Structures are given as C-alpha cells and as structure tokens.
C-alpha cells in the first residue's frame, strides 16, 4: 500500500510540474492587451502554440485608430496588423521558476494603413520584419500577465496584456 501511495503521489507531482511548464509542446495560449506606439493605442489578440519544449510559434491581429495633425489639418487613420512570430523560451537555460516565462524571437507582420484620400503624408501599407523580447508571469495555472518590447512592427515600443492558457 505504501508503494502504491508513493507511486500515485509521484505521478501527481510529476503531472503538476509538467503542466506548469511555461510553454509545453502542443499547448496553446491566448494573448490580448494594448500596445505602446507613437500612432495611437493599438489593441491586440493573438495565439501561441508550443512546437517544442523551448520553442513556440504564433499569430496575432492588432487594430488601432488615431488622429494626426499634419500641416495644420487633422486626419483620422486606421491600422490593422497581421503578424506571425517565433520565440525561444529561456526558462530551462535560466532555471526560472514555473511562474515565469522569458522569451525572445522574430516576427513578420503585414500592416494595412487606411487614411483619408486627402491625406498626403507618408504612412503606407507594408511588410515589416522585427524582433521581440518578453516576459510572462503566471498569477495562476491558467492566467498570466505579459510584457513585451520589440521593434520593426506595429508595436515598435512594446505591449502589455493578459495570457490565458487554453
């Protein structure tokens, strides 16, 4: 009976330890929040998928509108962003507690700028390559807070929000 209880206890501890791994292979997480930018405040929603113990890939959609004073006229703009990313998670190398997830990677994004026909400024639709460095802190098994800094994409200054494991 003692062996049976020991085996059951070990199995439960192992399962809990694995399930709290910041990004297990085959698992998904939903991210949403707000970005930091010189052109309005973007909102975003995205999903990441664990493809290895330390690697994830993901996709993201962002939207923002902002008002610009250009040559003494005000123009309203809208920007939609579609982004794909790949990240390496440093938890194993840094021997971080399970509540933390530190990552860095690259992204490729396509952004659709919509401006009034009378606007003669320099904003345009385009494809951008960028990089990001970020961290998540899981306040529970399912919910975490995220903060990311990066360049070359719609969130050139960074973003922060909530992560939900699904």
């Amino acid at each position: 009976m003692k062996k049976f209880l020991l085996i059951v206890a070990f199995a439960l501890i192992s399962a809990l330890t694995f399930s709290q791994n910041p990004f297990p292979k085959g698992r998904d997480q939903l991210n949403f929040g707000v970005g930091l930018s010189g052109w309005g405040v973007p909102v975003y929603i995205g999903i990441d998928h664990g493809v290895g113990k330390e690697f994830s890939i993901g996709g993201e959609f962002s939207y923002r509108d902002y008002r610009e004073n250009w040559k003494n006229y005000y123009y309203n703009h809208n920007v939609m962003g579609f982004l794909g990313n790949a990240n390496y998670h440093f938890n194993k190398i840094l021997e971080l507690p399970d509540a933390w997830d530190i990552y860095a990677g690259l992204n490729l994004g396509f952004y659709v700028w919509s401006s009034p026909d009378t606007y003669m400024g320099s904003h345009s639709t385009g494809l951008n390559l960028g990089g990001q460095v970020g961290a998540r802190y899981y306040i529970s098994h399912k919910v975490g807070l995220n903060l990311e800094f990066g360049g070359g994409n719609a969130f050139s200054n960074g973003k922060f929000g909530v992560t939900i494991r699904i």
Side-chain angles (χ1 to χ4, degrees):
M1 183 67 166
K2 285 183 183 179
K3 286 183 182 179
F4 176 74
L5 289 175
L6 186 60
I7 291 171
V8 170
F10 181 75
L12 285 173
I13 290 169
S14 297
L16 289 173
T17 302
F18 177 76
S19 67
Q20 291 187 9
N21 182 13
F23 217 108
K25 181 179 179 180
R27 295 291 306 264
D28 296 321
Q29 64 186 19
L30 181 67
N31 304 298
F32 58 92
V34 296
L36 307 170
S37 170
W39 302 301
V41 178
V43 294
Y44 71 93
I45 186 166
I47 191 164
D48 293 322
H49 178 75
V51 294
K53 287 186 178 182
E54 290 90 26
F55 293 97
S56 67
I57 58 172
E60 190 172 281
F61 171 76
S62 65
Y63 176 81
R64 72 177 131 188
D65 61 305
Y66 69 98
R67 186 175 170 100
E68 179 184 26
N69 182 356
W70 189 71
K71 294 190 177 183
N72 295 321
Y73 291 99
Y74 286 95
Y75 296 94
N76 293 320
H77 306 278
N78 296 310
V79 183
M80 289 188 297
F82 305 91
L83 181 89
N85 63 47
N87 288 302
Y88 178 79
H89 300 263
F90 293 94
N91 293 41
K92 186 174 180 179
I93 291 174
L94 299 175
E95 298 179 3
L96 297 173
D98 290 338
W100 287 95
D101 179 19
I102 308 293
Y103 61 92
L106 296 174
N107 62 68
L108 182 64
F110 182 73
Y111 305 97
V112 180
W113 292 77
S114 176
S115 299
D117 291 337
T118 57
Y119 180 72
M120 302 303 270
S122 62
H123 300 307
S124 63
T125 296
L127 189 66
N128 291 324
L129 177 65
Q132 67 273 346
V133 174
R136 290 184 184 88
Y137 178 75
Y138 291 96
I139 56 178
S140 74
H141 177 65
K142 292 268 187 194
V143 178
L145 303 174
N146 63 52
L147 177 65
E148 186 176 293
F149 298 99
N153 58 41
F155 305 106
S156 58
N157 297 324
K159 59 186 176 180
F160 58 94
V162 175
T163 297
I164 299 174
R165 291 178 173 153
I166 50 178

